[in-house]
C-alpha cells in the first residue's frame, strides 16, 4: 500500500504498507542523498514545492536533517525559528501559517512544544502539507521512520523482534512513534524506566512495562535509550538523582559488555553522557 496521505502527523494509525512505502522511498535516496554536494535532478514535482521549516522548539538533528535533505533535493525552502518571528509579538501560529501560505509556501515542517499543533495547522490551513517534526510529548514520526529504516536495513524483517526502550518514556514522542511503527511491523517493545516515568501501556500497542533493565536486556534484539526530559517536568516535580538513575537504568559499558554482539543500540539524541548512556558506549 502506498503512502497517499496529505500530511505526516504521526505513525499511529498508519498501515505497515504505508510505512513500508516511505522506507522504500528512503532506501532509493540512501546512498546519493547522504553525499555532501550531491543534488537531485530537478523534477516537476520537486519544483512545485516550497517548504517552510517552522522550528518552534530547540532542534539540532531534525532541523538540520530537513534542511540538508531540502538542499540536496533542490527544494525551495526557508527555516524559521521562534526567535525573530512575529509569534513572540503575539501572532498566532495559524496566522503565521496563513501569511506564509499567502507567499505560496505549500509544505510546513513543524516542531512545536504542544501536542497536536501540527494537526491543528493541517486542519485549519487547507491546501498545504504538514510534516510533524516533533510535537511536545506527542509524536516524532520522522525520527520513528529513521529508527525503523536503520533496523530494517540491519534485520531485513522486524517481525518477532523485541526492542527495549529505556528512560523517560512518559515524555518521549520518539518512543511513542517507535512503538507504533514497530508494532505495525510485528515487533514488540518493553518500556523500562522509573515507574513514574512510564506511561500506562494501554495506548502503546505491542508494549509491556518493566522496571528491571538487566532482566529486560537479557532477551532483547535492540535497546533504545532516552534522556530524562527535564524541560517537560512539572514545576516542583523531583528529577531522579543522576548517579542512582545511571546505576538502575543507564546503558553503562558494563551492561553493554553483557549484551550479545548483535544487539543494536539506538539513541535519538541529545545525550546526557554518564547518565542514561555512558560516553564510551556513544563513542
Ligand atoms: N532526534 C531529535 O529529534 O533531535 P533534535 O531534538 O536535535 O532535533
Amino acid at each position: 500500500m502506498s503512502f497517499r496521505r496529505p500530511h505526516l502527523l504521526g505513525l499511529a494509525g498508519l498501515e505497515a504498507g504505508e510505512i513500508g512505502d516511505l522506507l522504500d522511498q528512503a532506501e532509493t535516496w540512501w546512498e546519493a542523498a547522504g553525499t555532501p554536494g550531491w543534488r537531485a535532478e530537478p523534477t516537476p514535482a520537486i519544483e512545485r514545492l516550497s517548504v517552510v521549516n517552522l522550528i518552534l522548539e530547540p532542534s539540532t538533528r531534525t532541523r538540520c536533517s530537513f534542511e540538508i535533505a531540502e538542499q540536496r533535493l533542490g527544494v525551495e525552502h526557508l527555516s524559521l525559528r521562534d526567535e525573530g518571528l512575529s509569534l513572540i509579538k503575539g501572532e498566532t501560529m495559524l496566522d503565521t501559517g496563513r501569511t506564509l501560505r499567502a507567499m505560496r509556501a505549500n509544505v510546513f515542517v513543524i516542531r512545536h512544544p504542544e501536542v497536536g499543533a501540527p494537526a491543528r495547522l493541517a486542519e485549519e490551513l487547507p491546501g498545504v502539507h504538514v510534516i510533524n517534526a516533533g510535537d511536545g510529548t506527542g509524536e516524532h514520526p520522522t525520527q520513528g521512520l529513521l529508527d525503523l529504516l536503520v533496523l530494517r536495513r540491519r534485520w531485513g524483517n522486524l517481525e518477532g523482534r523485541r526492542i527495549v526502550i529505556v528512560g523517560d518514556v512518559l515524555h518521549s514522542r520518539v518512543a511513542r512513534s517507535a512503538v507504533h511503527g514497530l508494532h505495525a511491523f510485528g515487533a514488540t517493545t518493553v518500556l523500562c524506566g522509573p515507574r513514574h516515568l512510564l506511561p500506562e501501556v494501554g495506548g502503546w500497542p505491542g508494549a509491556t512495562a518493566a522496571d528491571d533493565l538487566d532482566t529486560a536486556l537479557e532477551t532483547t534484539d535492540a535497546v533504545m535509550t532516552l534522556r530524562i526530559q527535564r524541560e517537560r517536568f512539572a514545576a516542583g516535580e523531583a528529577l531522579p538523582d543522576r548517579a542512582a538513575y545511571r546505576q538502575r537504568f543507564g546503558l553503562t559499558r558494563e551492561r553493554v559488555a553483557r549484551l550479545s554482539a548483535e544487539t543494536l543500540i539506538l539513541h535519538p539524541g541529545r545525550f546526557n553522557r554518564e547518565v542514561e548512556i555512558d560516553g564510551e558506549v556513544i563513542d
Side-chain angles (χ1 to χ4, degrees), residues 58-63 111 140 143 173 268-269:
S59 172
T60 300
R61 283 144 284 265
T62 309
R63 179 176 61 81
R111 164 154 305 187
H140 193 343
Q143 176 70 50
R173 56 195 176 208

Side-chain angles (χ1 to χ4, degrees), residues 11 62 111 132-135 138-145 173-174 177:
L11 297 190
T62 309
R111 164 154 305 187
N132 179 2
D135 62 328
E139 277 229 37
H140 193 343
T142 60
Q143 176 70 50
L145 290 171
R173 56 195 176 208
V174 171
S177 291

Side-chain angles (χ1 to χ4, degrees), residues 55-273:
I55 307 299
L56 304 178
E57 202 185 42
S59 172
T60 300
R61 283 144 284 265
T62 309
R63 179 176 61 81
C64 296
S65 299
F66 271 100
E67 288 181 10
I68 288 172
E70 289 150 6
Q71 274 170 24
R72 293 188 185 156
L73 292 173
V75 177
E76 178 181 287
H77 65 280
L78 75 159
S79 289
L80 303 174
R81 297 187 228 170
D82 47 4
E83 67 270 23
L85 276 184
S86 290
L87 278 166
I88 58 170
K89 291 188 282 185
E91 186 169 77
T92 66
M93 176 189 70
L94 188 56
D95 283 340
T96 302
R98 286 191 182 117
T99 302
L100 294 163
R101 185 183 57 176
M103 297 173 189
R104 299 293 180 262
N106 51 23
V107 180
F108 286 78
V109 174
I110 176 165
R111 164 154 305 187
H112 198 285
E114 285 169 28
V115 176
R120 268 203 326 278
L121 200 65
E123 192 179 311
E124 301 197 30
L125 213 58
V128 307
H129 302 286
V130 177
I131 298 176
N132 179 2
D135 62 328
T137 58
E139 277 229 37
H140 193 343
T142 60
Q143 176 70 50
L145 290 171
L146 177 62
D147 293 330
L148 292 171
L149 185 62
V150 167
L151 296 176
R152 198 180 75 162
R153 284 177 72 86
R154 289 295 186 103
W155 295 335
N157 186 349
L158 275 64
E159 179 85 39
R161 295 287 187 169
R162 189 166 178 271
I163 293 91
V164 170
I165 302 179
V166 57
D168 180 3
V169 184
L170 184 68
H171 296 114
S172 177
R173 56 195 176 208
V174 171
R176 191 185 304 274
S177 291
V179 164
H180 282 284
L182 289 163
H183 177 67
F185 286 123
T188 56
T189 42
V190 179
L191 309 180
C192 183
R195 276 280 149 204
H196 70 290
L197 295 179
L198 291 183
E200 292 295 329
V201 291
W204 296 64
T208 52
D211 52 16
D212 184 66
L213 178 59
D214 293 302
T215 308
L217 290 180
E218 280 171 10
T219 53
T220 197
D221 296 299
V223 53
M224 175 189 287
T225 59
L226 305 168
R227 72 180 173 90
I228 304 285
Q229 300 200 36
R230 291 160 185 267
E231 71 277 20
R232 303 204 197 281
F233 276 52
E237 197 177 341
L239 284 164
D241 172 78
R242 289 165 72 100
Y245 181 87
R246 175 176 177 267
Q247 193 171 29
R248 273 195 76 191
F249 299 110
L251 199 58
T252 59
R253 59 181 177 278
E254 292 81 12
R255 285 198 169 100
V256 169
R258 291 197 292 271
L259 294 175
S260 95
E262 283 76 43
T263 308
L264 301 178
I265 298 171
L266 302 111
H267 192 312
R270 59 186 191 267
F271 308 117
N272 292 305
R273 288 170 180 257

